[in-house]
Amino acid sequence: MDLLAQGAEAKLFRDKDKVIKERIAKGYRHHDIDLGLRRFRTRREAKVLQKLDDMQFPAPKFHDFCDKRMTITMDFVEGPVLRDVLSSKAQVPQDEYQELAQRVGKQIGQLHMNDIIHGDLTTSNMILEGHMNKTNSTLKFIDFGLSKFSDKAEDKAVDLHLLDRALESTHSDLYPQIFKDALEAYKKANPNAAKVLERLSKVQKRGRHKK
Ligand SMILES: Nc1ncnc2c1ncn2[C@@H]1O[C@H](COP(=O)(O)OP(=O)(O)O)[C@@H](O)[C@H]1O
Ligand SMILES: [Mg+2]
């Protein structure tokens, strides 16, 4: 088994066509709180991945989880994370940025229509599978440990706000157009988008006052 990635919360191992995500203990957290948090996030990610399988939403296929070892087993997704695709100007012609942004917005719209809040919408949490075969590529969302089920416009607006902030800091050269393109596609995909967008402008004002 090879170490695939080590994030702040988890180690990811690759075992042939599978990925094992193991949430690691955080020494700075109280032992019981740390256990509880890791167990909660492991179970939550497993539950959301199962629901996404049922919906046929593009995400890694779920296999199993263990809340003693704090692991989730899912399919390995072959391809670069969207952050790297959008950062490598040489590889992606200008007009493809827009198409990718539209896919991001459309897919978030599908999640929200099903009352799934991602909780950590960044371009590192999206993998462009089959990148080389452009007509057939699939944008798979990953990292559902901070997800929740909610029908509240507020929660959906905050989800979009986090994406907005992530795009601004990670893809400043494509911002704000990239977020506008994503929002346009979100509106088309989610019939309840109006309420969420109304809320989003309130969330954004709130964010500005905090600065
Ligand atoms: N199913 C997968 N297939 C391929 N790579 C993956 C998969 N899941 C995660 N990764 C890689 O591991 C990284 C970290 O995984 P992620 O679930 O986002 O954990 P973290 O909470 O540490 O951000 C991702 O950015 C991606 O590069
Ligand atoms: Mg991540």
Side-chain angles (χ1 to χ4, degrees), residues 32-192:
D32 294 346
I33 292 173
D34 182 63
L35 266 182
L37 209 55
R38 285 189 292 140
R39 184 169 294 131
F40 181 82
R41 289 181 180 164
T42 300
R43 285 183 184 163
R44 174 58 55 83
E45 185 160 24
K47 192 170 177 186
V48 174
L49 284 175
Q50 287 176 76
K51 164 92 178 157
L52 296 176
D53 271 353
D54 294 344
M55 282 166 53
Q56 299 189 344
F57 180 88
K61 188 176 166 38
F62 171 78
H63 290 281
D64 48 50
F65 81 100
C66 172
D67 61 8
K68 294 209 169 57
R69 288 186 301 128
M70 304 292 183
T71 54
I72 288 183
T73 308
M74 62 188 129
D75 270 357
F76 175 75
V77 178
E78 183 84 61
V81 294
L82 186 62
R83 182 198 57 217
D84 293 343
V85 177
L86 294 176
S87 309
S88 64
K89 291 208 180 71
Q91 268 182 300
V92 186
Q94 198 72 27
D95 59 337
E96 270 181 44
Y97 290 131
Q98 189 171 35
E99 198 270 324
L100 287 168
Q102 286 166 348
R103 280 206 233 176
V104 169
K106 179 181 173 192
Q107 290 181 203
I108 297 169
Q110 289 167 345
L111 288 182
H112 286 185
M113 223 169 48
N114 286 280
D115 294 334
I116 298 168
I117 313 300
H118 184 284
D120 191 12
L121 286 171
T122 69
T123 53
S124 304
N125 288 334
M126 301 168 191
I127 300 177
L128 193 60
E129 186 179 49
H131 177 48
M132 292 308 153
N133 180 1
K134 282 173 188 151
T135 51
N136 249 329
S137 68
T138 307
L139 188 66
K140 291 197 169 167
F141 284 22
I142 59 167
D143 206 357
F144 289 88
L146 297 176
S147 298
K148 60 180 179 182
F149 296 97
S150 164
D151 60 2
K152 292 196 189 109
E154 167 76 15
D155 291 327
K156 295 172 186 180
V158 169
D159 217 18
L160 290 173
H161 179 58
L162 291 178
L163 175 75
D164 186 17
R165 301 301 302 271
L167 293 175
E168 184 178 16
S169 60
T170 313
H171 304 289
S172 53
D173 51 334
L174 303 171
Y175 188 87
Q177 192 56 41
I178 187 170
F179 185 63
K180 284 187 190 153
D181 291 335
L183 271 191
E184 276 310 308
Y186 178 87
K187 278 189 225 169
K188 284 185 196 146
N190 181 359
N192 302 319

